């Protein structure tokens, strides 16, 4: 109940920011939306604590760790319609690694917020960079936005791709290209 109320207040704030008015019901409508979207957590979990437990036993491993095809569903903060897609995350460990499922959980935590895809991509990268301090990282998010499918231009099948490259992935064109090739390898 407390989380639903927090979600309702957060939704009300987003609606006001974008000058969207509900016709009737006021706070009651925000509570209904928050209840219907009970799995859409606007606040609560801290993605950084998910990555706290790391392993230093890397035995000289010096290549990238790639987690590919992490499915997610989020919601557009402008239209409150679903965004669904896949996230691909790679990092090159400096001295420690994290359990690979933890990267998928970071994606889930940020997906369960009203989002823009650009912010979503950056939040994933920022968290991994801050907690793991890798030599570099790459994040690619590809998604379909239902606000483009159901309203406006109505373009089913259009995909938006956002990327973040940091450290050695930003500095090395070869490493960036290799990451992109490995992400796309499933399509061949």
């Amino acid at each position: 109940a407390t989380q639903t109320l927090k979600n309702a207040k957060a939704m009300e704030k987003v609606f006001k920011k974008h000058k969207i008015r509900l016709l009737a019901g006021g706070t009651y409508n925000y509570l209904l939306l928050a209840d219907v979207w009970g799995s859409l957590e606007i606040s609560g979990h801290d993605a950084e604590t998910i990555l706290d437990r790391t392993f230093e036993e890397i035995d000289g491993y010096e290549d990238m760790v790639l987690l590919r095809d992490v499915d997610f569903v989020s919601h557009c903060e402008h239209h409150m319609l679903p965004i669904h897609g896949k996230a691909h995350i790679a990092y090159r460990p400096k001295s420690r690694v994290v359990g690979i499922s933890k990267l998928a959980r970071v994606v889930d935590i940020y997906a369960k917020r009203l989002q823009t895809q650009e912010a979503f991509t950056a939040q994933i990268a920022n968290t991994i960079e801050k907690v793991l301090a890798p030599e570099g990282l790459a994040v690619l998010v590809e998604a379909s936005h239902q606000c483009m499918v159901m309203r406006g231009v109505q373009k089913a099948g259009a995909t938006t791709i956002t990327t973040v490259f940091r450290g050695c992935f930003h500095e090395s064109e070869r490493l960036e290209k290799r990451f992109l090739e490995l992400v796309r390898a499933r399509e061949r």
Side-chain angles (χ1 to χ4, degrees):
T2 304
Q3 188 62 46
T4 301
L5 185 57
K6 285 181 185 177
N7 288 352
K9 289 180 184 207
M11 286 180 190
E12 186 174 13
K13 184 178 175 183
V14 169
F15 271 48
K16 286 180 181 177
K17 175 182 172 186
H18 296 288
K19 298 181 174 97
I20 300 170
R21 289 184 341 154
L22 294 178
L23 297 177
T27 302
Y28 176 72
N29 282 343
Y30 296 111
L31 284 169
L32 281 176
L33 284 171
D35 190 44
V36 168
W37 289 343
S39 66
L40 177 63
E41 296 181 22
I42 309 269
S43 61
H45 290 94
D46 177 18
E48 291 179 17
T49 60
I50 295 294
L51 297 177
D52 272 350
R53 185 155 189 256
T54 59
F55 306 95
E56 294 181 6
E57 307 86 24
I58 62 173
D59 289 331
Y61 184 79
E62 295 179 349
D63 204 355
M64 78 172 81
V65 175
L66 171 63
L67 177 61
R68 191 172 72 180
D69 298 328
V70 180
D71 289 319
F72 71 88
V73 176
S74 190
H75 286 79
C76 168
E77 77 172 31
H78 300 115
H79 306 103
M80 297 182 84
L81 291 170
I83 301 168
H84 56 86
K86 295 183 182 295
H88 315 280
I89 302 167
Y91 71 100
R92 191 166 176 180
K94 190 179 289 185
S95 60
R96 57 196 177 136
V97 294
V98 68
I100 204 74
S101 69
K102 304 301 187 207
L103 297 175
R105 288 177 195 229
V106 169
V107 171
D108 286 344
I109 287 170
Y110 287 120
K112 291 181 180 182
R113 300 176 182 191
L114 294 172
Q115 280 290 11
T116 64
Q117 185 173 329
E118 297 84 352
F120 176 62
T121 306
Q123 289 165 349
I124 294 167
N126 293 342
T127 300
I128 294 167
E129 185 174 46
K130 181 177 180 181
V131 177
L132 296 182
E135 288 184 20
L137 66 91
V139 178
L140 184 145
V141 174
E142 51 188 327
S144 174
H145 294 242
Q146 292 306 297
C147 51
M148 274 193 57
V149 173
M150 298 171 60
R151 56 177 300 287
V153 296
Q154 297 182 348
K155 298 296 181 193
T159 303
T160 302
I161 296 175
T162 50
T163 59
V164 171
F165 296 100
R166 305 257 173 89
C168 60
F169 285 89
H170 178 71
E171 296 159 5
S172 169
E173 189 175 315
R174 180 190 61 77
L175 197 53
E176 180 180 324
K177 182 179 177 185
R178 188 161 161 251
F179 165 74
L180 294 171
E181 286 173 353
L182 287 169
V183 166
R184 297 291 175 227
R186 74 189 186 307
E187 297 173 356
R188 293 184 187 149

